[in-house]
Amino acid sequence: MSRAFVFDAYGTLFAVHASIGRHRAAAGPDADRFSDMWRSKQLEYTWTLTLAGRYDDFWTLTERALDFAFARFSSVDKALKPKLLEAYLALDAFPDARTALHDLKARGDATAILSNGSPKMLAAAVAAAKIDLDAVLSVDRVRIYKPRPEAYALVTDHFRLAPAQVVFVSSNRWDVMGAATFGFRTAWINRASMPEEYGPAPHAVLTDLRGLMALAG
Ligand code: LAC
């Protein structure tokens, strides 16, 4: 095996807003802003804790961010908390995820997840989505969040590959930046037509995972 395709989990393979999607009617008119706040606080906590030299696992931060969103949007009923957390453990995979993973593996490339998610969260998400990968790597092993290089090094250590033999796939532009800084080839899955930021440009910018086979063909 001379190449690995490594995927970010949340937002790339799994739809982070699917949790609120299942409870949209109950959440009310602020549902989307509430979900955006939940996601942005979840990420912010990973960055600020890592900068401060601290670590709490991603499930703890996911719950803490959800508590913040409830405090910020009083219109959303706090009784939804256990249901939203339960749904977060079994998020929908994007429709293109299973096919992309299958096709890459069939061609002989290794496939993996590298995620900030805790091992418990990732095992639950992979099982619920019925996807198959060669490795599911969590930053929990090093207790430092992406985009720190120690997190991306979990991939090269696991597969014993040089960074240039890894194609890192993420819908999070900041994650693509971290992966490129580490030396990975990068594919930014820009599902939401977001503007370019950070630089230098990723090796590929795709609207979904279907273009990955052509990229590496
Ligand atoms: C992850 C988050 C950051 O899966 O999307 O690592």
Side-chain angles (χ1 to χ4, degrees):
M1 186 265 300
S2 60
R3 185 171 54 194
F5 278 75
V6 179
F7 295 79
D8 166 66
Y10 298 102
T12 303
L13 295 177
F14 308 118
V16 277
H17 298 294
S19 176
I20 201 78
R22 288 186 207 158
H23 301 285
R24 186 177 301 282
D30 288 327
D32 290 324
R33 288 200 304 148
F34 175 89
S35 190
D36 284 343
M37 175 67 74
W38 183 12
R39 172 65 169 170
S40 58
K41 279 288 161 186
Q42 177 200 48
L43 293 175
E44 178 190 318
Y45 295 158
T46 65
W47 301 324
T48 50
L49 286 187
T50 295
L51 281 169
R54 289 175 46 190
Y55 179 81
D56 290 311
D57 81 17
F58 201 60
W59 185 242
T60 302
L61 301 187
T62 299
E63 183 172 357
R64 206 175 281 166
L66 181 57
D67 287 339
F68 183 92
F70 276 119
R72 181 71 183 74
F73 291 97
S74 54
S75 62
V76 183
D77 184 359
K78 285 193 174 57
L80 281 175
K81 181 177 171 181
K83 290 182 181 161
L84 290 173
L85 286 174
E86 188 186 322
Y88 207 93
L89 285 177
L91 293 172
D92 299 324
F94 285 106
D96 46 329
R98 196 173 302 119
T99 312
L101 290 169
H102 173 271
D103 290 353
L104 291 168
K105 205 167 167 170
R107 195 177 57 186
D109 292 314
T111 57
I113 283 174
L114 172 70
S115 174
N116 281 345
S118 70
K120 175 187 98 166
M121 295 170 74
L122 295 173
V126 166
K130 297 186 175 62
I131 55 175
D132 188 28
L133 300 119
D134 294 307
V136 178
L137 305 173
S138 166
V139 303
D140 194 64
R141 182 183 285 255
V142 288
R143 298 170 65 86
I144 290 175
Y145 286 107
K146 296 185 284 183
R148 287 283 306 182
E150 294 91 330
Y152 301 101
L154 287 166
V155 172
T156 42
D157 288 351
H158 179 85
F159 286 113
R160 300 192 182 287
L161 290 173
Q165 292 172 286
V166 173
V167 179
F168 189 81
V169 184
S170 182
S171 61
N172 298 300
R173 186 63 185 84
W174 59 268
D175 192 16
V176 169
M177 178 277 292
T181 302
F182 187 73
F184 289 158
R185 292 175 64 204
T186 55
W188 180 29
I189 309 303
N190 189 7
R191 296 184 192 273
S193 299
M194 298 299 280
E196 164 61 4
E197 55 186 333
Y198 291 112
H203 294 102
V205 182
L206 306 169
T207 52
D208 58 42
L209 299 171
R210 285 176 299 180
L212 284 178
M213 287 290 281
L215 163 72

